[in-house]
Amino acid sequence: MHTVVVGTSGTTAEDVIAVARGNARVELSGEAVAALGRAREIVEALAAKPEPVYGVSTGFGALASRHISPELRAQLQRNIVRSHAAGMGPRVEREVVRALMFLRLKTVASGHTGVRPSVAQTMADVLNAGITPVVHEYGSLGCSGDLAPLSHCALALMGEGDAEGPDGTVRPAGELLAEAGIEPVELREKEGLALLNGTDGMLGMLVMALADLGKLYTAADITAALTLEALLGTEKVLQPELHAIRPHPGQGASAANMAAVLKGSGLVRHYQEETAPRVQDAYSVRCAPQVAGAGRDTMAHAALVASRELASAVDNPVVLPDGRVESNGNFHGAPVAYVLDFLAIAAADLGSIAERRTDRLLDKNRSHGLPPFLADDAGVDSGLMIAQYTQAALVSEMKRLAVPASADSIPSSAMQEDHVSMGWSAARKLRTAVDNLTRIIAIEMYAATRAIELRHGLTPAPASQAAIAAARAAGVEGPGPDRFLAPDLAAADAFVRSGGLVDAVEGVTGPLA
């Protein structure tokens, strides 16, 4: 099994995916264990002094003015975990919780938190045992960390609360720890606070969204090319010289992808043989690289933000190399929240332009000779009429999900925490948006492949032929009389979601961007 070694200098997106989705094992490096030990010595020295130090010998948030006597400090750390584990609503997905736990361990291992090495090792042991704390949808404002979600994870380390075992059954966390031979942690000064103060949930969801969107943008370039072909459009707008004079990297990449898919097509520019030739294709076809390209560039910016956050140690207070323990605001989720919202906007626009292309394929007045709704016997058959309704409903929801969460702030903790990021909420809605975008692209693929097959006597591009053959082999049915359509759409969704569409096309074109 793949093993991810956690050191003091952060982690990578690939490691997050490996742990969250691939169940990779986690180990602490010797360097991390040594750094943990040094930072802990500093915290214990401060705890022994009479002067109050935030998070070590004081209360938290609006209660930070109270000095806590030594005999109450262990109770203080337990209490902050128990009281902050106040989430509500549906359970969060297993992969999100694993990413959250791993990223918290990443910061703990940096040596800037003052947590004992034994606590960090327990965090790794819980991940390796396949124990996943129950975390709820609601409870994070994305500031002072993803407090409630992280608290539910810390609660499980203490042997309290509920967790999902490796068999998928939810049981008391204490039972699962005992069966795995893991001793529950007994928190000491600062440790409870250090387990809660991070952007780990929103960051984990950002990393996974970027991985998923990277594949979806390639799939969207393919479906845009298929639609252009089905509409007998022109590929001349994809010439690299045109994109070189507006040198946005994403735009050039999308245009190159579409051109590669269309190479050798007998359908493109067929409009020149019509009695009423078109001068230009519609925006949804002609401007596909510009819209998808802008989304690609948005992803590049979001990936840069993610890489910086993955290299960060996010906690409050932090232990600095010179021995100071300083309060700070690095837990604020604004940098991550903004790009999560930005990605949702870009994804909504990509879904919107894909839906407009699908609608054009189904409209006999704009499809250049295709049957109404791509029906077998229009009037008797409705064809893909309601498939477009479904796609439109998904696009409508994506537009609502594109409303920024990070533009909102609700003060908390008696106005001590008076400006929050709402980054967790931005991440949660982005996950839904990515899911919907997959379905939208699948419906365009379903319509475009059917439309190409209805262009009798014309030869599609080799890459298009490969896409159609792979789709049909995957259970995505082709043209014919009306039938129960939901299973076809589900098969199309599964085909796109699995990467089957991209794999089929790349088998002809070679790797796409």
Side-chain angles (χ1 to χ4, degrees):
M1 182 182 290
H2 178 56
T3 298
V4 171
V5 178
V6 184
T8 59
S9 56
T11 189
T12 65
E14 292 75 18
D15 284 348
V16 174
I17 298 291
V19 174
R21 292 178 168 172
N23 298 315
R25 289 187 58 80
V26 177
E27 291 182 2
L28 294 170
S29 71
E31 176 192 26
V33 172
L36 283 159
R38 288 193 298 270
R40 186 62 199 175
E41 290 176 0
I42 294 169
V43 168
E44 289 180 352
L46 288 171
K49 293 183 177 181
E51 297 85 8
V53 177
Y54 177 70
V56 176
S57 53
T58 70
F60 310 112
L63 303 176
S65 59
R66 178 178 171 182
H67 182 262
I68 307 299
S69 59
E71 65 273 12
L72 294 177
R73 290 175 189 169
Q75 181 181 339
L76 169 70
Q77 299 301 322
R78 290 194 301 271
N79 285 352
I80 190 176
V81 172
R82 289 168 177 164
S83 65
H84 285 42
M88 293 184 74
R91 282 180 58 196
V92 170
E93 303 85 358
R94 182 178 185 271
E95 66 176 22
V96 172
V97 179
R98 285 185 62 82
L100 173 116
M101 295 168 66
F102 173 68
L103 288 167
R104 193 70 222 139
L105 177 59
K106 174 267 297 182
T107 280
V108 166
S110 70
H112 290 294
T113 67
V115 168
R116 287 170 294 154
S118 60
V119 175
Q121 184 59 55
T122 301
M123 296 171 75
D125 291 343
V126 169
L127 280 166
N128 293 339
I131 298 170
T132 307
V134 170
V135 172
H136 298 280
E137 180 82 15
Y138 303 106
S140 174
L141 300 181
C143 203
S144 287
D146 289 318
L147 285 173
L150 283 163
S151 297
H152 282 276
C153 294
L155 195 69
L157 295 177
M158 292 165 50
E160 301 179 19
D162 293 326
E164 179 186 303
D167 63 354
T169 302
V170 174
R171 295 165 53 198
E175 292 181 9
L176 292 169
L177 294 184
E179 289 179 7
I182 300 171
E183 285 289 326
V185 298
E186 295 186 6
L187 300 174
R188 297 181 186 172
E189 293 92 347
K190 195 185 178 301
E191 290 180 333
L193 185 62
L195 296 178
L196 316 186
N197 242 321
T199 56
D200 310 293
M202 64 183 91
L203 176 59
M205 286 186 275
L206 172 60
V207 168
M208 290 186 283
L210 284 168
D212 295 338
L213 284 169
K215 298 173 184 175
L216 282 176
Y217 270 80
T218 303
D221 290 339
I222 293 169
T223 60
L226 294 173
T227 297
L228 184 152
E229 191 172 27
L231 291 171
L232 309 178
T234 175
E235 89 288 18
K236 291 181 71 175
V237 296
L238 306 175
Q239 295 175 88
E241 296 87 349
L242 295 173
H243 300 280
I245 62 175
R246 195 189 190 195
H248 294 289
Q251 176 180 323
S254 284
N257 281 350
M258 291 180 65
V261 174
L262 293 170
K263 186 177 181 181
S265 172
L267 280 73
V268 295
R269 282 193 272 176
H270 190 73
Y271 71 92
Q272 292 176 339
E273 301 172 16
E274 296 176 355
T275 56
R278 278 170 282 157
V279 176
Q280 296 177 328
D281 291 316
Y283 282 10
S284 60
V285 177
R286 188 178 4 140
C287 302
Q290 284 75 13
V291 173
R296 286 176 173 273
D297 292 341
T298 301
M299 286 193 294
H301 171 61
L304 176 61
V305 172
S307 69
R308 291 168 176 163
E309 198 74 358
L310 288 167
S312 301
V314 180
D315 192 16
N316 180 47
V318 291
V319 181
L320 295 175
D322 61 8
R324 286 179 293 150
V325 175
E326 296 284 3
S327 185
N328 67 92
N330 284 344
F331 50 74
H332 201 288
V336 182
Y338 292 167
V339 294
L340 288 163
D341 280 333
F342 200 174
L343 288 172
I345 292 169
D349 202 35
L350 186 64
S352 179
I353 197 171
E355 183 276 329
R356 288 293 82 205
R357 289 192 295 263
T358 302
D359 183 67
R360 185 166 288 272
L361 287 167
L362 305 188
D363 184 353
K364 68 174 184 178
N365 297 312
R366 295 179 291 142
S367 65
H368 308 287
L370 291 169
F373 303 106
L374 306 182
D376 187 63
D377 183 4
V380 175
D381 293 315
S382 294
L384 305 190
M385 180 190 294
I386 307 304
Q388 184 268 330
Y389 283 37
T390 299
Q391 194 183 39
L394 289 163
V395 169
S396 181
E397 182 178 37
M398 289 193 69
K399 290 175 180 178
R400 295 192 296 274
L401 293 168
V403 175
S406 58
D408 187 27
S409 176
I410 298 180
S412 56
S413 193
M415 293 298 288
Q416 177 72 5
E417 299 170 7
D418 58 353
H419 186 274
V420 297
S421 78
M422 303 307 297
W424 173 274
S425 299
R428 296 306 295 164
K429 68 185 182 64
L430 178 60
R431 281 180 70 84
T432 303
V434 171
D435 208 30
N436 284 352
L437 181 60
T438 308
R439 298 184 179 105
I440 291 165
I441 292 170
I443 291 172
E444 183 182 15
M445 184 275 300
Y446 184 63
T449 54
R450 176 184 282 213
I452 289 171
E453 288 184 301
L454 291 172
R455 294 292 188 186
H456 303 298
L458 297 175
T459 304
S464 302
Q465 295 179 50
I468 294 168
R472 302 296 173 254
V476 184
E477 297 294 335
D482 280 358
R483 55 184 174 268
F484 181 22
L485 204 56
D488 275 11
L489 298 183
D493 177 41
F495 180 58
V496 171
R497 198 175 294 271
S498 69
L501 174 63
V502 174
D503 289 345
V505 169
E506 288 186 331
V508 175
T509 64
L512 297 173

